[in-house]
Amino acid sequence: AQSVAQPEDQVNVAEGNPLTVKCTYSVSGNPYLFWYVQYPNRGLQFLLKYITGDNLVKGSYGFEAEFNKSQTSFHLKKPSALVSDSALYFCAVRDSAGGFKTIFGAGTRLFVKA
Amino acid sequence: EPEVTQTPSHQVTQMGQEVILRCVPISNHLYFYWYRQILGQKVEFLVSFYNNEISEKSEIFDDQFSVERPDGSNFTLKIRSTKLEDSAMYFCASSEGQLSGNTIYFGEGSWLTVV
């Protein structure tokens, strides 16, 4: 069965500094990996995904993520954080080996301080 | 940009009452889902639906839950006899196809409060 872990409940970063939000996964087949962002009292917005190909995936709002098969990780990154990036970030995984189910991590709350 | 729409945005109901949450998925999407999130915490899979039947469901999705696509556009989640612990944000989502790489797009959610 697939699973996904976000080891940090919260990440604090100063505006203008690079940010990283960590995600690791476990699947039986090939992983399909996603990042979503949730602003207060809002739905989940899709940021980016990895299906196949280039390990570095670029997405919305200047975010990118790096797929690392050997470390089973898919960390979300941004070179220069903005205060407006403060939100709840979810990593999600779907397993090519089965099912229609996308499993979400517990979420990481990002605080960007001005 | 096409989006998933959900109604109501917020509903308060008495324990034991039936609730129906409604969703209009993105028009060319074929796969539909319900997820729930309790108090801004983990997003939990409830059920997936394709070709007018449930394709997968979680252990949360017990006999008190049901889903239906009553017409060509709506997708509903019914909770027959609500319990206090059903209080949560319920998200509807849809995706274009069955390939594992297809992105799931979420609605803004329906906040259910059971009192």
Side-chain angles (χ1 to χ4, degrees):
Chain A
Q2 73 253 50
S3 66
V4 59
Q6 293 181 244
E8 303 153 314
D9 291 336
Q10 185 171 309
V11 169
N12 298 311
V13 65
E15 189 173 35
N17 283 0
L19 70 87
T20 298
V21 182
K22 295 179 180 177
C23 171
T24 59
Y25 66 89
S26 173
V27 294
S28 303
N30 292 319
Y32 299 99
L33 296 153
F34 305 81
W35 276 101
Y36 288 83
V37 60
Q38 185 180 33
Y39 297 99
N41 301 312
R42 301 295 302 277
L44 286 85
Q45 294 181 37
F46 168 71
L47 278 180
L48 50 80
K49 68 180 178 184
Y50 171 82
I51 305 302
T52 186
D54 252 347
N55 289 343
L56 186 64
V57 179
K58 293 189 184 296
S60 307
Y61 313 121
F63 284 93
E64 57 190 31
E66 187 166 11
F67 171 65
N68 187 318
K69 187 173 183 178
S70 62
Q71 296 185 5
T72 61
S73 66
F74 189 56
H75 301 331
L76 181 71
K77 300 182 181 186
K78 187 172 182 180
S80 178
L82 300 172
V83 172
S84 58
D85 292 330
S86 298
L88 189 55
Y89 290 81
F90 290 96
C91 182
V93 65
R94 195 179 306 148
D95 191 344
S96 70
F100 303 93
K101 188 164 55 176
T102 298
I103 298 299
F104 284 77
T108 298
R109 196 165 294 279
L110 174 67
F111 287 101
V112 181
K113 190 186 287 189
Chain B
E1 184 178 315
E3 57 182 25
V4 177
T5 57
Q6 291 185 241
T7 54
S9 57
H10 189 193
Q11 182 162 351
V12 181
T13 190
Q14 297 255 332
M15 193 168 54
Q17 295 295 304
E18 177 182 282
V19 161
I20 297 176
L21 305 178
R22 292 182 168 79
C23 169
V24 178
I26 295 173
S27 63
N28 64 332
H29 285 188
L30 301 176
Y31 287 80
F32 315 120
Y33 313 84
W34 283 100
Y35 283 79
R36 77 173 185 190
Q37 184 183 35
I38 297 176
L39 289 176
Q41 300 301 316
K42 190 169 186 174
V43 177
E44 300 173 301
F45 170 79
L46 292 178
V47 66
S48 60
F49 189 87
Y50 169 70
N51 199 26
N52 284 319
E53 61 182 26
I54 290 173
S55 46
E56 193 166 0
K57 62 182 181 179
S58 73
E59 60 276 7
I60 301 170
F61 194 87
D62 60 21
D63 291 343
Q64 70 160 344
F65 291 93
S66 62
V67 289
E68 193 178 34
R69 189 155 162 83
D71 53 42
S73 59
N74 289 287
F75 178 52
T76 62
L77 174 70
K78 182 191 289 186
I79 310 175
R80 287 192 187 83
S81 178
T82 50
K83 298 178 279 196
L84 294 176
E85 54 265 38
D86 294 328
S87 294
M89 180 74 91
Y90 288 82
F91 291 109
C92 177
S94 67
S95 65
E96 192 171 10
Q98 69 179 73
L99 295 177
S100 292
N102 283 130
T103 300
I104 294 178
Y105 293 93
F106 286 81
E108 290 292 311
S110 293
W111 181 250
L112 176 65
T113 302
V114 182
V115 297

